[in-house]
Amino acid sequence: MAPTYNIAMVSDFFFPQPGGVESHIYQLSTKLMDRGHKVIIITHAYDGRTGVRYLTNGLKVYHVPYFVIYRSTTFPTVFSFFPMFRNIVLRERIDIVHGHASLSNLCHEAILHARTMGLRTVFTDHSLFGFADAASILTNKLLKFSLSDVDHVICVSHTCKENTVLRASLDPLMVSVIPNAVVAENFKPYSNPAEVARHSFGQDPPPARPLGPHDTITIVVISRLFYNKGTDLLTAAIPRILENHPNTRFIIAGSGPKAIDLEQMVEQNVLQDRVEMLGSIRHEEVRDVMIRGHVYLHPSLTEAFGTVIVEAASCGLYVVCTQVGGIPEVLPSHMTVFAKPEEDDLVAATGKAIAALRANKVRTELFHEQVKSMYSWTNVAIRTERVYNGISGAISEAEFYGYDASNPASWSATRGRSGVQSFALIDRLKRYYGCGIWAGKLFCLCVIIDYLIFLFLEIWWPRGKIDICPDWPRKTVDERREPGVR
Amino acid sequence: MLTTTAHLYIRRPSPTTAEFTVTTRPALTLPLRLALLSLSILRLTLFFVILFTLYTRFLTTSSLHSSPETNPLLLALASHLHTLHLSPAGQALTRLVAPIPAWLLAGISIPLLCFTVAWELHTSESLLVLRGLGIQTSTTGGFPWGSWRPATRFIPTEKIRDVLINEAFRGFEVRYYLVVVVEGEEDVVVVFPKLLPRRKIVEAVWRGVRGCLYEANDGMWYGVGKG
């Protein structure tokens, strides 16, 4: 019988805020619950979304009341989260704490506290970072701190893995790559013209398929309009693309600080009839916007995975994207045209894509089935479950890390015999001490204080005084002989 | 000790009535009664000592005979207080409080006075359920800020939309609590708001309330005894 776990997903980013990390956490949690695990989510409070909530399937969400500083990240209050976190972990009987997103302070704090409390921890990194500027250096140091003692790290792409290993000085063996997935059913290509007309925002006719030589090609861009999403590149490229290709138009969805630049560009070049700006749209509307187009343009400057291009391909769009980060790993080459992240190349690549579509050389109608067979959340959940098994010792070290790695001599001194990280305070301190000349000592101090707070909490709020939550009825999986009861 | 952790008493005077009381008062044994009695005497003594201190400090300056008071009862009281004031114990107290500035003395003794009079050692909160009529919550104990009588609230049956258990963040923890959703009100009514008993009690009360309020009386009783 496969073991089941009580898992706490911790991240600053969760619904009602839209985004890739948010839907990743939700989808992964749902699929893990389908496999018989118990999953709760810990995030901070949003406007109108506070307290303890239940989502579908009995997925429980704790919106911890904390103060938000920047782009919905909470203020780093290293220790103040501990009492609350301990209470939640004890009442839900959590075994594994799974943090998401490297910009989330809540996640880093949770990992630190979880290790102090003697729980297994996993971290999923969703983003790429630089090494040069001050903010990155600080974030990287923080990441190094919290990942010094993590049991396992999951990255969404190989590029992301390389980046994370370098930033946090990790042993590459303890980093797995598990890509994102899409719910292919939610991103079906358009089936009949009536459907498109119903969802249409404007009065435009549905996209012509197959394309005639003079039919309009619609290029869709859906992204938050921030610098790192390449909005500047987009602003520069749009007038040139429209100039080169008379029968094309753009649909741009999303909002952000760069929206004003785009609007100015549209006004200056008098392109109001060829560029439609929809503003921010909800995630469930993404598909309805996508099926109105032929080409999806993704000008991002940095991207760890790029779920949106998988969604676009699933909707049967030909994808033009910049060759940065993990994007080249995501889709097979017949679905995409790559460009360097610069204006000229982006214009040229879009031209190539339009030409290929005009020549009807691309079988976009097959994309959906192909994407569906490549990406599924169930698969992601199975692979994540394997990570949980590996770190909790349910499968052997040799099986989890590979047979070469099972040689004990190749392990660092602080790792236990079974290949899992030891909880002993002295071993933990050894791991933190290596973080830097000053930082190492500072981190050790933090860990010691955290441990003392833990001891204090054990005395002040004893475990016996915390009510245990009743579990939602667990699902059972077919492979399993008995119901998953721990 | 004099108090215990919150526990539940259930009274069922009739099949359609139930009273759930959550209290911090332990069962009244003889030693406990004696302890409580001595505590009351102590509080009473403290009350009079403070009152007398205030008298010696603030009221003895006016001469006894120049007072325009004619009521013989008050005159007798004043003369007794005056003799007490002149007694050795009274003089000692006067000397003791003399160096303390007046504002500080008043600032300390007046809240202390209120405390000795008003504070109740045991908090108990109850929920009375009457089928067909409604439910009534009441709270006594602690420091009754604002009102002297127990804070009670009656909710008629037709106003009750639901009785349910919820979870919420409170301080550094997540607590279970019983709420009554009242029709036409923005906020729900929290039952046992001061004590916020633990899940076991809350669940027992919830089952009991639903059993008494909604379910047909077929001898099935959902309350599961003391928590």
Side-chain angles (χ1 to χ4, degrees):
Chain A
M1 180 188 140
T4 60
Y5 304 103
N6 297 340
I7 303 151
M9 302 278 177
V10 188
S11 180
D12 269 323
F13 309 105
F14 196 65
F15 297 130
Q17 176 181 271
V21 180
E22 290 81 351
S23 67
H24 176 108
I25 297 172
Y26 175 71
Q27 296 292 350
L28 177 62
S29 306
T30 318
K31 294 298 177 214
L32 282 171
M33 284 164 74
D34 287 346
R35 297 188 60 77
H37 303 284
K38 169 183 172 177
V39 186
I40 63 157
I41 291 169
I42 303 174
T43 181
H44 65 79
Y46 288 88
D47 277 347
R49 199 66 68 98
T50 53
V52 185
R53 300 251 181 162
Y54 284 94
L55 303 181
T56 325
N57 267 348
L59 177 59
K60 200 172 186 180
V61 188
Y62 286 90
H63 290 278
V64 182
Y66 275 105
F67 177 56
V68 175
I69 42 169
Y70 173 69
R71 273 174 85 174
S72 75
T73 28
T74 45
F75 190 72
T77 52
V78 182
F79 305 113
S80 71
F81 178 48
F82 199 6
M84 185 82 87
F85 179 72
R86 176 175 169 274
N87 191 284
I88 294 171
V89 161
L90 290 180
R91 74 203 301 273
E92 297 284 353
R93 289 172 295 168
I94 296 300
D95 317 307
I96 292 173
V97 173
H98 190 157
H100 289 265
S102 48
L103 272 180
S104 156
N105 282 303
L106 206 63
C107 148
H108 294 309
E109 287 171 26
I111 287 174
L112 172 69
H113 302 324
R115 289 296 301 181
T116 305
M117 291 179 68
L119 305 173
R120 298 287 166 203
T121 51
V122 182
F123 173 75
T124 299
D125 202 352
H126 294 260
S127 44
L128 300 175
F129 275 92
F131 299 89
D133 56 302
S136 298
I137 291 170
L138 198 69
T139 319
N140 291 348
K141 211 65 183 171
L142 198 75
L143 192 75
K144 205 169 172 182
F145 174 34
S146 77
L147 295 197
S148 293
D149 197 26
V150 79
D151 288 289
H152 206 83
V153 177
I154 296 172
C155 289
V156 291
S157 64
H158 289 277
T159 315
C160 179
K161 172 173 173 176
E162 192 182 319
N163 185 271
T164 307
V165 165
L166 288 174
R167 279 157 64 208
S169 321
L170 295 169
D171 180 353
L173 274 176
M174 59 178 283
V175 183
S176 302
V177 174
I178 301 177
N180 278 335
V182 293
V183 186
E185 297 79 57
N186 294 349
F187 293 95
K188 286 193 182 125
Y190 92 114
S191 42
N192 56 340
E195 188 192 19
V196 179
R198 195 176 68 233
H199 292 299
S200 236
F201 286 81
Q203 281 76 43
D204 51 342
R209 278 165 221 249
L211 277 166
H214 297 293
D215 284 330
T216 307
I217 285 192
T218 307
I219 302 173
V220 179
V221 180
I222 299 176
S223 94
R224 278 170 290 140
L225 304 175
F226 283 96
Y227 168 75
N228 60 351
K229 297 286 177 192
T231 312
D232 296 323
L233 208 58
L234 187 69
T235 313
I238 286 178
R240 293 182 54 189
I241 294 169
L242 290 178
E243 195 185 355
N244 295 349
H245 306 280
N247 284 329
T248 50
R249 50 194 293 275
F250 272 87
I251 297 175
I252 300 170
S255 61
K258 294 280 181 188
I260 199 111
D261 292 356
L262 267 177
E263 278 161 19
Q264 271 177 355
M265 177 276 295
V266 170
E267 300 219 337
Q268 267 170 12
N269 297 289
V270 200
L271 295 171
Q272 283 88 343
D273 56 335
R274 298 180 69 189
V275 179
E276 188 181 349
M277 295 198 50
L278 301 175
S280 78
I281 55 168
R282 295 209 306 273
H283 190 244
E284 57 265 33
E285 294 169 339
V286 165
R287 187 246 169 192
D288 300 336
V289 175
M290 277 181 174
I291 55 168
R292 295 168 61 200
H294 302 88
V295 175
Y296 181 78
L297 180 61
H298 194 67
S300 187
L301 298 182
T302 164
E303 194 80 67
F305 183 77
T307 315
V308 70
I309 64 173
V310 184
E311 291 168 354
S314 175
C315 287
L317 270 69
Y318 198 37
V319 177
V320 179
C321 54
T322 46
Q323 195 157 17
V324 294
I327 289 179
E329 299 168 33
V330 169
L331 288 177
S333 57
H334 70 273
M335 296 185 186
T336 48
V337 180
F338 290 116
K340 292 195 209 68
E342 59 183 41
E343 191 189 329
D344 293 340
D345 212 43
L346 195 68
V347 172
T350 315
K352 243 165 68 188
I354 291 170
L357 279 176
R358 287 241 187 263
N360 281 323
K361 275 197 263 178
V362 192
R363 301 286 305 277
T364 51
E365 68 275 13
L366 301 179
F367 285 4
H368 177 69
E369 288 303 317
Q370 290 165 353
V371 169
K372 199 171 159 184
S373 65
M374 280 189 284
Y375 290 107
S376 94
W377 282 110
T378 313
N379 181 267
V380 172
I382 291 169
R383 290 161 80 175
T384 310
E385 193 180 75
R386 198 180 124 83
V387 169
Y388 295 154
N389 285 335
I391 58 170
S392 56
I395 58 175
S396 73
E397 174 198 355
E399 194 185 339
F400 186 44
Y401 291 106
Y403 288 89
D404 294 344
S406 63
N407 173 17
S410 69
W411 289 101
S412 55
T414 51
R415 200 181 281 273
R417 261 186 309 137
S418 62
V420 293
Q421 304 267 57
S422 149
F423 287 119
L425 184 63
I426 189 70
D427 285 345
R428 297 182 60 221
L429 289 178
K430 276 182 202 162
R431 278 177 228 128
Y432 286 110
Y433 193 74
C435 284
I437 300 171
W438 293 106
K441 294 177 178 69
L442 183 70
F443 293 167
C444 280
L445 195 69
C446 285
V447 173
I448 292 168
I449 292 174
D450 205 52
Y451 189 70
L452 291 176
I453 292 175
F454 173 62
L455 292 182
F456 170 77
L457 291 174
E458 287 289 319
I459 296 165
W460 197 251
W461 280 295
R463 282 167 188 247
K465 291 218 169 167
I466 295 172
D467 288 330
I468 304 295
C469 287
D471 282 357
W472 198 267
R474 293 194 188 206
K475 295 189 178 172
T476 52
V477 191
D478 299 341
E479 302 111 64
R480 210 165 284 160
R481 288 190 304 274
E482 297 170 52
V485 179
R486 273 168 69 89
Chain B
M1 288 299 287
L2 295 176
T3 62
T4 59
T5 51
H7 56 275
L8 178 67
Y9 289 114
I10 300 177
R11 284 202 312 140
R12 293 216 71 186
S14 79
T16 56
T17 314
E19 189 183 31
F20 305 89
T21 310
V22 176
T23 176
T24 57
R25 195 184 65 186
L28 283 174
T29 54
L30 187 66
L32 184 71
R33 279 171 200 272
L34 290 177
L36 289 178
L37 185 69
S38 49
L39 193 73
S40 305
I41 293 169
L42 197 71
R43 274 168 66 174
L44 209 64
T45 322
L46 194 65
F47 175 73
F48 282 115
V49 167
I50 294 167
L51 215 58
F52 184 63
T53 313
L54 290 175
Y55 168 79
T56 53
R57 183 62 188 266
F58 297 109
L59 297 175
T60 45
T61 45
S62 59
S63 171
L64 186 65
H65 301 289
S66 63
S67 152
E69 191 57 69
T70 50
N71 190 331
L73 210 67
L74 278 181
L75 268 176
L77 182 70
S79 83
H80 280 303
L81 276 176
H82 196 68
T83 19
L84 200 61
H85 175 59
L86 294 177
S87 72
Q91 288 301 310
L93 194 67
T94 316
R95 278 196 299 279
L96 196 69
V97 297
I100 304 172
W103 59 269
L104 188 64
L105 188 69
I108 293 172
S109 47
I110 289 170
L112 211 61
L113 209 61
C114 297
F115 176 77
T116 53
V117 174
W119 183 68
E120 280 181 64
L121 181 63
H122 299 125
T123 307
S124 53
E125 293 178 295
S126 67
L127 179 69
L128 180 67
V129 184
L130 303 154
R131 182 180 299 168
L133 274 175
I135 60 182
Q136 175 168 285
T137 61
S138 73
T139 299
T140 56
F143 217 141
W145 300 106
S147 74
W148 289 89
R149 52 199 178 73
T152 59
R153 165 90 203 263
F154 180 77
I155 306 161
T157 313
E158 62 269 19
K159 286 275 183 192
I160 301 171
R161 298 249 311 261
D162 206 352
V163 180
L164 49 93
I165 296 175
N166 202 7
E167 288 163 281
F169 290 98
R170 187 171 184 278
F172 282 125
E173 52 184 354
V174 184
R175 295 298 295 263
Y176 279 104
Y177 60 100
L178 187 69
V179 289
V180 182
V181 184
V182 183
E183 202 173 315
E185 272 185 37
E186 190 92 328
D187 295 324
V188 292
V189 176
V190 179
V191 184
F192 313 130
K194 266 189 185 166
L195 290 172
L196 287 177
R198 297 190 55 174
R199 182 184 142 207
K200 207 172 143 193
I201 297 178
V202 168
E203 274 187 11
V205 174
W206 178 73
R207 284 177 207 285
V209 169
R210 294 191 73 93
C212 188
L213 207 58
Y214 300 123
E215 273 147 50
N217 187 20
D218 51 359
M220 185 73 175
W221 172 237
Y222 288 87
V224 285
K226 292 201 283 187

